[in-house]
Structures are given as structure tokens and as C-alpha cells.
């Protein structure tokens, strides 16, 4: 049965939250499979406006089981805060489950994220400072503590004692800061364990059961393809895989299980944090887009860098994810612009290239080659049928489809659930 992966196709914040909230109406399970609370997914629905960092955006439907998969790193304090906030606003969270294999973000991860960033000086990555990189590094180094470890206090103590001794050497000897207290962290995480115990499960079994029953499962991506650890603008990336392939590993599902892969693209580009972005607009058009669209980070509040749609990057993203279709979001933001540009190639050292280079030094030298299209300059947020969009808007979408070789299923013309045009069925 259908498993659909909803994947950020650019540098994050494409509107994955809106798309998952929309599609989850027909789903039985929604799984977050990567990242951590560096993600900020905005949902605007009849319950109000929400910014979810860890809880899957399917939580608003009573029939949807929401899973935080093994591929996510979890800050328990943030998760408990999110559960409490949702409950206070009338949203039921009893259908939330957490993989016992997911790793925990520990206080030293957050501390080290900040210290590492400061030590990078002018080469800082611009991380969210939520401890994401250090937590994934520990996972790979086999120095992580997992959600399941919270269920056995003796195991937790033994593991924490061993790891903290090592972390405190780094904190005191390398960074010259005070060591962290074993007792404090242990008692805090024991409390988290008691609070989270009812949610902790072997979640791959739940997924398998849903598939056997032929129910719709959504894999909810976090971040974006160009922030992927392997394929993003390394080292200006995050530390996990936001790709469709990451969905298999981070949820516990074989690659043959995924039947549709929906790439979520903004109608233009944004990026928050450091690293190359060939189509960035450091001018009044960039400022206009930022202010009109309120392009400020959902997690950190930082201004997002804005620029034209980059079809070279989009083609790359389509290729490495295997998108079967696309959702184009925020098309309405472009309403006011008289002319629109799409990057169709790069100029690199005097030559034209049509691929996305693998290293940042090369990408930084790439100058975008633009194609210009007329804008529509009328409001479109009220439109629900593709044929009713102004012809210029239809031409813009058709050109994106052509350049990326990816059919468009959904066009979003506003933040609310209903502000959506279903151009072509996903199934
Ligand atoms: P995510 O991280 O991919 O879920 O995206 P974010 O929530 O960080 O950022 C997307 C922003 O765009 C949010 O503020 C959404 O409410 C908003 N949004 C989503 N789709 C649309 C749209 O079609 N039009 C407008 N104007 N806003 C949108
Ligand atoms: P959603 O899911 C946009 C960026 C950070 C930084 C880089 C590394 O809302 O799309 P990290 O804290 O992950 O080590 O930071 O990645 N970043 C995001 N940018 N949206 C996100 O998530 C992001 N998650 C991380 O700004 O440049
Ligand atoms: Mg976001």
C-alpha cells in the first residue's frame, strides 16, 4: 500500500508542514524520520497556527498514529514541552509514539554545538545550536544514549557515567569550561524517562501492521535535500539525511516500500545559516520577498536568505530523491513581482554548466544564468482550480515542471490547509 515520502527539495522551510497536514487527512500513520528540533514545521488549520519541531504534522487528525522514528535525535525537554502545548490547545497526543532506537540529545550536545560554532569563527556553519551535529556525531561514534535506555535506570546510569567522563574531559581540557554534573543530568533524564515511557515503542512493528492493512503512511521529511550530509553543500549541511533514502533508514522501511516521493519546492529559494546559495538576492527584491513572506526562521527567528528559483539545484534534488511529483508552495508570494527569474544554468570559470557541483568552493564561483518570465501581479491566494490561475502563473509552474522533469501535483497559494490547488492526483 501507499507510502508517500514528503521531502524538502531545497534548503529547508519549503512548507513540508503544510503539505503533511494536508495529506494526513487520508493517512493512518505519519512518521518523522530525520533531524531533530532544528526543524520547525508550520501548520495552519482549524485548531490554529502551530510550529512543530519534533511531533509529526499528522497529530491533528484523530485517526492518525504519529511516530518519531529511529532516525530522529530527540531533546526530551523540547518534546515534553511540545506535547504539553498541544494538549493545552486541545490537540490529543495519545496516538504519539517514539522509537526506542531514536537517540537522545543530551545537555553536552547543546553546549558543544555552541562551543564548536564559536571555535569556527568566521567559518561558523550557522547551526541552530540545538545540539544536532554533536548528537549525530555521537550516534556514529557509538557514544549515543537512546530513548530505550531511559526505560532502565541502571543501564542509563552506567552509560551516562561512561560517556560523561569522556565529554567532561573535552569540555574542561579543550574548551576550558566547567564540567557537567552526572547527578543532575541523571536525575533530569530519569524524570524524562518516566514521563515519556508510555510513548516508547518498537515502532517498525506498528509501521508493518499499517502496511499489512493497506493504510496510507506518510514519511515526513525534515530540513531539505541541499542540507543533506552527503549531497548538500558540505560542510554547510545538517548532520542527517533529509532525502527519501533517509526515510527508509530513519523510519525502518525497505526502499521497495515507498510508492510515491513528493518533493516540496518553494516557488523561489530560501536558506537560513551559512553556505553557498547561487541565486541569493542581496538587493531590494530579496528584502521584498523576505518581508512579504515573513521569511524568518521558524526555529531560530533568523532572517532567511531569499533568491530566485534554482532549477539546476532542483533537477539535482529530483535526481537524488527520485521524486515522482512535486508540491510548489508559496506561489502567492510572487504575486507582486512584475518579472520573475529562474536559474537555468551556471557560469563557472567562463564555461556554462547544468549540474550542481559537489564542493562548495566550486559552487561559490558559480554565477546563475537566468531566464525571465512575466509576473501576474494579481492576488491568487483565493484560487482553487489550476485553470483559474492567471496565465503567467500557469506558465511559471509549467516551466518549473519542464526544467525539473517533475510533474506538479500540488500548488500551495497560502499557509492555510485549504489554500491549495490539486493540479494532478498523487495516486
Ligand atoms: P517547513 O519547515 O518545510 O515545514 O516550512 P516552515 O514552516 O519552516 O516555513 C514555511 C512557511 O510558509 C510557514 O510560515 C508556512 O505557514 C508558510 N506557508 C506554507 N505554504 C504557504 C503558501 O503557499 N503561501 C504562503 N504565503 N505561505 C505558506
Ligand atoms: P525544516 O525541517 C532550514 C540549517 C541550519 C544550518 C544547518 C545546520 O524546518 O526545514 P543544524 O542545527 O542542523 O546543525 O544546522 O542546517 N537547518 C535548517 N534550515 N530549515 C530546517 O528545518 C533546518 N534545519 C537545519 O540553519 O544552516
Ligand atoms: Mg521549517
Amino acid at each position: 500500500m501507499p507510502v508517500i515520502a514528503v521531502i524538502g527539495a531545497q534548503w529547508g522551510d519549503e512548507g513540508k508542514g503544510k503539505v503533511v497536514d494536508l495529506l494526513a487527512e487520508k493517512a493512518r500513520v505519519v512518521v518523522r524520520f530525520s533531524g531533530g528540533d532544528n526543524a520547525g514545521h508550520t501548520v495552519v488549520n482549524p485548531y490554529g497556527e502551530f510550529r512543530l519541531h519534533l511531533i509529526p504534522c499528522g497529530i491533528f487528525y484523530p485517526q492518525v498514529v504519529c511516530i518519531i522514528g529511529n532516525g530522529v535525535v530527540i531533546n526530551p525537554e523540547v518534546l515534553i514541552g511540545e506535547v504539553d502545548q498541544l494538549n493545552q490547545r486541545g490537540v490529543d497526543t495519545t496516538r504519539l509514539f517514539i522509537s526506542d532506537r531514536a537517540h537522545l540529545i543530551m545537555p553536552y550536545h547543546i553546549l558543544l554545538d555552541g562551543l564548536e560554532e564559536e571555535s569556527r569563527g568566521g567559518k561558523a556553519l550557522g547551526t541552530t545550536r540545538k545540539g544536532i551535529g554533536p548528537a549525530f556525531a555521537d550516534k556514529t561514534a557509538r557514544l549515543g544514549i537512546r530513548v530505550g535506555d531511559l526505560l532502565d535506570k541502571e543501564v542509563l546510569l552506567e552509560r551516562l557515567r561512561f560517556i560523561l567522563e569522556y565529554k567532561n574531559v573535552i569540555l574542561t581540557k579543550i574548551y576550558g569550561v566547567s564540567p557537567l554534573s552526572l547527578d543532575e543530568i541523571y536525575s533530569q533524564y530519569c524524570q524524562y524517562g518516566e514521563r515519556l515511557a508510555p510513548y516508547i515503542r518498537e515502532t517498525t512493528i506498528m509501521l508493518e501492521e499499517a502496511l499489512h492493512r493497506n493504510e496510507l503512511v506518510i514519511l515526513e521529511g525534515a530540513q531539505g535535500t541541499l542540507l543533506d550530509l552527503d549531497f548538500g553543500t558540505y560542510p554547510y549541511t545538517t548532520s542527517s539525511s533529509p532525502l527519501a533514502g533517509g526515510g527508509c533508514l530513519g523510519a525502518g522501511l525497505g526502499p521497495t516500500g515507498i510508492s510515491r516521493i513528493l518533493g516540496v519546492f518553494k516557488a523561489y529559494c530560501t536558506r537560513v545559516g551559512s553556505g553557498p546559495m547561487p541565486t541569493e538576492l542581496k538587493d531590494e527584491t530579496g528584502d521584498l520577498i523576505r518581508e512579504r513572506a515573513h521569511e524568518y526562521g521558524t526555529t531560530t527567528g533568523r532572517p532567511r536568505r531569499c533568491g530566485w528559483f534554482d532549477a539546476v539545484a532542483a533537477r539535482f534534488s529530483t535526481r537524488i530523491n527520485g521524486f515522482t511529483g512535486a508540491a510548489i508552495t508559496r506561489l502567492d508570494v510572487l504575486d507582486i513581482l512584475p518579472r520573475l527569474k529562474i536559474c537555468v544554468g551556471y557560469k563557472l570559470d567562463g564555461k556554462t554548466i547544468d549540474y550542481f557541483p559537489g564542493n562548495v568552493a566550486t559552487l561559490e564561483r558559480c554565477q546563475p544564468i537566468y531566464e525571465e518570465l512575466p509576473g501576474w501581479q494579481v492576488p491568487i491566494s483565493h484560487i482553487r482550480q489550476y485553470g483559474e490561475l492567471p496565465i503567467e502563473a500557469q506558465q511559471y509552474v509549467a516551466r518549473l515542471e519542464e526544467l525539473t522533469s517533475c510533474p506538479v501535483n500540488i500548488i500551495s497559494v497560502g499557509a492555510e490547509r485549504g489554500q491549495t490547488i490539486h493540479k494532478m492526483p498523487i495516486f
Side-chain angles (χ1 to χ4, degrees):
M1 172 66 190
V3 175
I4 173 163
V6 176
I7 303 297
Q10 296 154 321
W11 278 286
D13 304 326
E14 298 90 350
K16 299 174 291 293
K18 149 134 193 193
V19 173
V20 171
D21 174 63
L22 177 76
L23 299 181
E25 186 187 0
K26 297 207 167 71
R28 178 65 179 166
V29 180
V30 178
V31 195
R32 253 292 298 275
F33 65 77
S34 70
D37 63 309
N38 49 350
H41 296 176
T42 313
V43 168
V44 185
N45 63 24
Y47 283 96
E49 180 170 340
F50 297 84
R51 292 182 179 86
L52 299 175
H53 300 286
L54 283 166
I55 296 180
C57 295
I59 198 71
F60 303 95
Y61 295 98
Q63 87 286 2
V64 175
V65 167
C66 285
I67 296 176
I68 303 179
N70 57 282
V72 178
V73 287
I74 298 177
N75 179 332
E77 187 185 357
V78 172
L79 178 57
I80 291 166
E82 211 161 281
V83 166
D84 288 344
Q85 269 194 12
L86 285 170
N87 292 163
Q88 277 159 20
R89 294 178 66 184
V91 182
D92 173 31
T93 52
T94 52
R95 294 154 291 100
L96 173 69
F97 298 99
I98 312 165
S99 166
D100 55 358
R101 291 183 170 89
H103 280 243
L104 291 165
I105 294 187
M106 305 299 293
Y108 44 82
H109 293 139
I110 299 170
L111 194 55
L112 285 166
D113 199 355
L115 292 167
E116 287 168 7
E117 275 290 86
E118 270 144 40
S119 75
R120 288 183 193 113
K123 293 205 173 348
L125 307 177
T127 75
T128 58
R129 299 192 178 214
K130 303 286 181 190
I132 306 298
F136 278 112
D138 272 358
K139 173 177 175 174
T140 311
R142 290 149 300 176
L143 281 175
I145 301 180
R146 306 204 295 183
V147 166
D149 297 334
L150 292 175
L151 299 176
D152 185 328
K153 289 184 179 169
E154 271 175 42
V155 169
L156 177 65
L157 182 59
E158 195 187 327
R159 189 103 184 113
L160 184 61
R161 181 180 287 126
F162 167 69
I163 294 167
L164 192 62
E165 205 177 321
Y166 168 73
K167 294 291 169 188
N168 275 338
V169 172
I170 296 173
L171 288 172
T172 55
K173 301 269 192 290
I174 295 183
Y175 291 105
V177 299
S178 306
L180 295 175
S181 150
L182 174 66
D183 288 349
E184 275 176 31
I185 301 178
Y186 175 63
S187 90
Q188 186 72 72
Y189 276 67
C190 283
Q191 285 175 36
Y192 294 149
E194 282 164 20
R195 180 73 204 276
L196 293 177
Y199 301 99
I200 302 171
R201 289 282 194 292
E202 208 300 10
T203 50
T204 62
I205 296 172
M206 304 171 75
L207 210 51
E208 184 189 34
E209 284 168 1
L211 296 180
H212 271 306
R213 289 193 300 262
N214 226 24
E215 293 166 338
L216 178 65
V217 173
I218 298 175
L219 302 182
E220 174 177 340
Q223 288 80 54
T225 296
L226 304 174
L227 290 172
D228 179 76
L229 186 59
D230 283 87
F231 290 102
T233 51
Y234 191 86
Y236 300 97
T237 61
T238 191
S239 297
S240 62
S241 175
L243 305 183
C248 295
L249 295 174
L253 186 75
T256 50
I258 301 186
S259 36
R260 293 287 185 278
I261 305 174
L262 188 72
V264 185
F265 293 88
K266 248 178 222 187
Y268 49 95
C269 275
T270 62
R271 174 167 200 166
V272 58
S274 317
M277 175 182 171
T279 62
E280 181 173 9
L281 288 166
K282 294 178 181 165
D283 61 7
E284 60 278 14
T285 308
D287 295 343
L288 187 67
I289 293 174
R290 183 177 312 105
E291 295 316 313
R292 176 169 161 75
H294 195 73
E295 289 288 6
Y296 290 87
T298 309
T299 300
T300 58
R302 292 177 292 174
R304 293 177 184 149
R305 300 153 63 192
C306 299
W308 297 117
F309 189 91
D310 186 338
V312 180
R315 251 192 325 262
F316 173 64
S317 186
T318 301
R319 170 151 46 89
I320 61 175
N321 282 293
F323 293 144
T324 58
I328 306 285
T329 63
R330 298 200 133 196
L331 189 65
D332 56 297
V333 169
L334 303 179
D335 285 357
I336 48 163
L337 298 173
R339 303 210 52 88
L340 306 171
K341 291 185 187 178
I342 302 174
C343 170
V344 294
Y346 298 143
K347 205 72 167 171
L348 174 66
D349 304 334
K351 295 199 181 89
T352 299
I353 61 165
D354 63 357
Y355 63 89
F356 193 76
N359 77 73
V360 291
T362 310
L363 190 60
E364 265 155 8
R365 293 204 308 281
C366 286
Q367 295 299 319
I369 300 169
Y370 287 120
E371 185 176 289
E372 272 197 38
L373 275 78
W376 44 96
Q377 294 190 280
V378 289
I380 59 167
S381 282
H382 61 285
I383 294 176
R384 302 290 174 266
Q385 300 295 328
Y386 183 68
E388 289 170 16
L389 281 173
I391 190 69
E392 295 87 352
Q394 293 188 32
Q395 279 166 356
Y396 185 75
V397 171
R399 191 64 184 131
L400 299 190
E401 259 181 331
E402 203 170 56
L403 287 166
T404 56
S405 308
C406 187
V408 171
N409 298 117
I410 291 171
I411 298 167
S412 174
V413 290
E416 288 176 25
R417 198 185 271 173
Q419 291 180 307
T420 307
I421 297 170
H422 296 275
K423 181 171 181 284
M424 197 175 57
I426 295 175
F427 291 102

